[in-house]
Amino acid sequence: MKTYALEVKFTNNGNENRLYPVILQDDHNMILVDCGYAGFMPLIEAAMNAHGLSLQKLTGIIITHHDIDHIGGLHEIKEKYPDIKIYAPEAEEPYISGKAKSLRLIQAENTHALLPENQQPAAFQFQEFLKTVRPVEVDVTFSEGNLPFLDGVEIIHTPGHMPGHISLYLNHDKTLISADALVYENGELEIANPQYCLDLPQAVASVKKIIQYDVNKIICYHGGLVKHDIQSKLTTLLSKYL
């Protein structure tokens, strides 16, 4: 199986940012892991083209959790390519399909009144932004364990950032796709936005679960590829919280 970390560059409030969705390809499937914000389809297509890949040949999309930067672009891709199958953790399916209200939106609404008055307009804007996500039906759900349609890919339940959050472990080359269980910032691994984790102790426990795996590479959705001193970096991260 081949693995491609896509570098998707975009500008937000005048600042250049990057996200790192992943393509997993075998003889029968080409799967995208997470898909950015609404309007990202051309950016993802360009990032795929840089690796000689085509969005037209995509067979499926795995959503690791329902944050807007992971599912915002899902509807437009599914609308253009309706044969693409959507895969997601069972616990995340109601939020992706629109059957349940976004947990991130609930969090934003519940904390709004606690913010200083000068921060409340921006917080309200963020809530309205979260409401723009368009639901998409999930074709296949799964729980922790080996993926049935990609050999050598293990789903790891890594809650904390969101209750249904997953990471993926690729046995063939010992690569971890961490989604938002980990981010890579300033040369170090961190927990993604710990102040916004829905359950920070769970997020720390998920890092303790990850450190048990034999990992040669980590692909962080925020920060990209990590190849060196992984066990040391994970140990340092845990020492901040334990």
Side-chain angles (χ1 to χ4, degrees):
M1 184 172 62
K2 296 178 181 178
T3 307
Y4 304 89
L6 306 180
E7 184 179 54
V8 178
K9 299 178 183 179
F10 66 104
T11 301
N12 182 32
N13 294 325
N15 298 315
E16 185 176 274
N17 289 272
R18 292 172 173 81
L19 295 178
Y20 295 87
V22 175
I23 293 287
L24 302 175
Q25 184 183 31
D26 64 12
D27 292 338
H28 307 287
N29 299 281
M30 184 187 290
I31 306 293
L32 173 66
V33 182
D34 293 327
C35 57
Y37 294 101
F40 266 43
M41 185 164 63
L43 302 180
I44 289 173
E45 192 155 24
M48 290 179 67
N49 291 345
H51 292 279
L53 305 173
S54 170
L55 194 56
Q56 293 181 6
K57 295 185 178 179
L58 204 65
T59 59
I61 300 174
I62 292 175
I63 298 297
T64 60
H65 65 292
H66 69 277
D67 265 329
I68 191 169
D69 55 333
H70 294 254
I71 68 165
L74 186 60
H75 187 275
E76 63 193 302
I77 297 176
K78 180 69 172 179
E79 189 172 51
K80 185 169 182 179
Y81 303 105
D83 291 336
I84 290 174
K85 289 188 182 298
I86 308 302
Y87 304 93
E90 186 175 353
E92 291 289 304
E93 183 275 333
Y95 308 105
I96 297 166
S97 65
K99 297 170 188 170
K101 187 175 181 178
S102 162
L103 295 178
R104 191 66 69 203
L105 177 57
I106 292 172
Q107 179 190 46
E109 290 174 343
N110 289 344
T111 58
H112 183 96
L114 304 176
L115 296 171
E117 190 173 343
N118 65 334
Q119 294 180 21
Q120 290 189 13
F124 178 75
Q125 257 188 339
F126 179 61
Q127 291 171 42
E128 293 303 300
F129 182 44
L130 292 176
K131 293 176 185 177
T132 65
V133 173
R134 300 176 70 181
V136 175
E137 287 296 319
V138 174
D139 297 298
V140 179
T141 62
F142 45 72
S143 302
E144 196 165 38
N146 293 327
L147 272 184
F149 55 90
L150 279 176
D151 287 340
V153 179
E154 181 182 347
I155 297 296
I156 310 171
H157 184 214
T158 47
H161 190 76
M162 285 248 179
H165 186 286
I166 59 161
S167 303
L168 289 79
Y169 181 71
L170 314 181
N171 287 283
H172 71 283
D173 63 355
K174 300 178 182 178
T175 294
L176 179 83
I177 301 171
S178 71
D180 282 356
L182 298 165
V183 297
Y184 192 44
E185 297 174 342
N186 303 315
E188 296 295 336
L189 289 168
E190 302 286 350
I191 288 174
N193 295 319
Q195 70 275 29
Y196 297 118
C197 279
L198 293 185
D199 189 323
L200 184 55
Q202 269 196 341
V204 174
S206 290
V207 178
K208 291 173 71 176
K209 183 187 288 189
I210 287 169
I211 205 171
Q212 303 303 313
Y213 283 77
D214 184 10
V215 177
N216 288 336
K217 292 184 292 185
I218 299 177
I219 303 172
C220 296
Y221 195 66
H222 302 276
L225 186 62
V226 185
K227 295 193 293 185
H228 303 293
D229 304 320
I230 287 172
Q231 287 295 312
S232 174
K233 285 178 167 62
L234 289 170
T235 301
T236 299
L237 169 57
L238 283 173
S239 70
K240 298 177 183 179
Y241 293 94
L242 300 178

